[in-house]
Amino acid sequence: MTTPLSILDLAHIGRGETARDSFAASVDMAQRAEQWGYHRIWYAEHHNMPTIASSATSVLIAHVAAHTATIRLGAGGIMLPNHSPLTIAEQFGTLETLHPGRIDLGLGRAPGSDQNTLRALRRDPSSADSFPQDVLELQAYLRGQSRIPGVDAVPGKGTNVPLYILGSSLFGAKLAALLGLPYAFASHFAPQALEDAVALYRREFQPSEQLSEPYVVAGVGVIAADTTDEADALFEATKRQRIRQMLGRGRTFTDEEVEMLLDAPAGQQVLQMLRYTAVGTPGEVRDYLDRFTERAQADELIVVSSAPGRKAWLRSLELLAQVSGLVPA
């Protein structure tokens, strides 16, 4: 493969683990990914989710950056409706000042939480309506061209942290094209609009100060193992884990109930999220990713763990790096 490979770290808190365990695992994975030759790692902003530890996204990025040397790190993404543009410009301006040339800022307009949590964040559901204007305000702070007279981001002013628009629909594609920014599509969990969104983005892209040509990052799940049977078994376990997590809503399913749900409409809807998942031996995964890259018209892939455990995920990353010819740091 010649397409750059990156990682989305979900900062998972496993059963019996604490958030501190998750942070240690994120550092360990970043150090390994740096050695294996991955391009970048992104962390997503989620709130009020007991199995995800990346709620304070910029703080986690700072922690991992302090324990690595070369790999790019960033947000995939910051949910901008939850914050003022000035605050995010200051946070990521600080990160870029501490770790020059290593920081990315992906931006999304979803809340990354439920409605009760949105209220706890002191945000209004209508905050998402101003997302395009907020992106422009944030961009201006980072360029040192503040849109509010007398207000600068310090640190942040003049750091020019690269922005990416995240999306799973045509809205994000259209905005990224209009602003001339890279576009990252969440095909690892929202596959339906991938091809239409990328086509729209490429068709309507307008060059900008940051970017002269369209640039697409596409998310894809990966389970690589030493044998096809092992990878298939891990994928089956992943399907059952997703059913328990997303349909359980506080209750515990028996194995028999999970089997029934796999074939039910609700279960099939959950499994659709895994449509773009590479499963198999390293060679089989590489071949799948080659086909997916062409289908998604992607300039870069950001791979996401579909394995049910951290050990299997690290092994997937290692095998993928080896078979893809990544250059170790």
Side-chain angles (χ1 to χ4, degrees):
M1 292 184 65
T2 57
T3 307
L5 289 177
S6 299
I7 298 167
L8 178 63
D9 180 359
L10 298 177
H12 182 67
I13 304 173
R15 183 177 297 181
E17 292 185 340
T18 65
R20 186 180 182 88
D21 295 326
S22 173
F23 298 149
S26 288
V27 168
D28 176 60
M29 185 171 74
Q31 291 172 337
R32 293 171 186 260
E34 186 172 75
Q35 294 171 357
W36 292 331
Y38 282 90
H39 183 49
R40 68 175 108 231
I41 302 176
W42 280 357
Y43 307 88
E45 177 187 348
H46 294 286
H47 298 281
N48 193 32
M49 294 188 180
T51 60
I52 297 179
S54 53
S55 55
T57 316
S58 59
V59 180
L60 178 56
I61 293 169
H63 178 63
V64 177
H67 290 83
T68 51
T70 58
I71 194 167
R72 294 192 67 89
L73 301 166
I78 289 293
M79 302 298 106
L80 196 52
N82 294 340
H83 312 275
S84 74
L86 176 61
T87 297
I88 298 305
E90 291 169 341
Q91 290 178 5
F92 280 79
T94 298
L95 287 168
E96 174 63 24
T97 301
L98 291 170
H99 307 283
R102 295 181 58 202
I103 303 300
D104 304 320
L105 176 49
L107 301 168
R109 69 176 181 134
S113 58
D114 55 39
Q115 292 301 310
N116 284 336
T117 308
L118 195 64
R119 287 195 290 271
L121 289 166
R122 300 297 189 267
R123 308 306 294 171
D124 186 277
S126 65
S127 298
D129 296 340
S130 63
F131 180 66
Q133 293 76 25
D134 288 346
V135 172
L136 290 172
E137 183 180 335
L138 170 59
Q139 185 179 56
Y141 285 132
L142 294 170
R143 288 179 176 174
Q145 302 167 350
S146 176
R147 292 183 157 212
I148 301 178
V151 178
D152 286 316
V154 183
K157 180 179 180 179
T159 56
N160 293 301
V161 176
L163 302 183
Y164 295 72
I165 298 297
L166 276 59
S168 57
S169 69
L170 301 186
F171 177 89
K174 196 171 188 69
L175 179 62
L178 178 66
L179 299 182
L181 295 175
Y183 181 50
F185 190 87
S187 35
H188 60 288
F189 75 84
Q192 290 80 1
L194 170 63
E195 293 174 72
D196 289 342
V198 171
L200 185 153
Y201 168 70
R202 290 193 175 276
R203 183 174 64 249
E204 299 191 6
F205 179 84
Q206 300 180 24
S208 68
E209 185 178 327
Q210 179 178 325
L211 194 64
S212 61
E213 297 179 349
Y215 191 87
V216 173
V217 182
V220 59
V222 167
I223 297 179
D226 294 297
T227 67
T228 302
D229 288 345
E230 182 184 355
D232 287 342
L234 288 169
F235 191 39
E236 288 301 314
T238 294
K239 293 177 182 178
R240 286 157 177 75
Q241 185 182 66
R242 288 288 180 94
I243 293 293
R244 294 179 190 277
Q245 289 175 342
M246 303 195 70
L247 299 182
R249 300 185 184 278
R251 62 170 291 189
T252 300
F253 291 127
T254 66
D255 291 343
E256 291 76 14
E257 288 173 325
V258 170
E259 290 300 322
M260 292 176 61
L261 285 168
L262 283 170
D263 295 322
Q268 287 298 304
Q269 188 172 1
V270 170
L271 296 184
Q272 270 296 304
M273 297 170 66
L274 297 169
R275 182 196 305 177
Y276 294 127
T277 303
V279 180
T281 63
E284 291 168 338
V285 166
R286 180 196 57 206
D287 292 344
Y288 179 98
L289 294 182
D290 283 338
R291 295 191 301 272
F292 175 77
T293 300
E294 183 175 351
R295 180 170 188 169
Q297 299 182 63
D299 300 289
E300 178 181 338
L301 299 183
I302 188 158
V303 299
V304 187
S305 171
S306 294
R310 191 169 285 124
K311 182 178 179 180
W313 175 224
L314 286 174
R315 182 60 175 158
S316 290
L317 290 177
E318 182 179 19
L319 292 173
L320 179 57
Q322 290 172 356
V323 76
S324 301
L326 299 187
V327 179

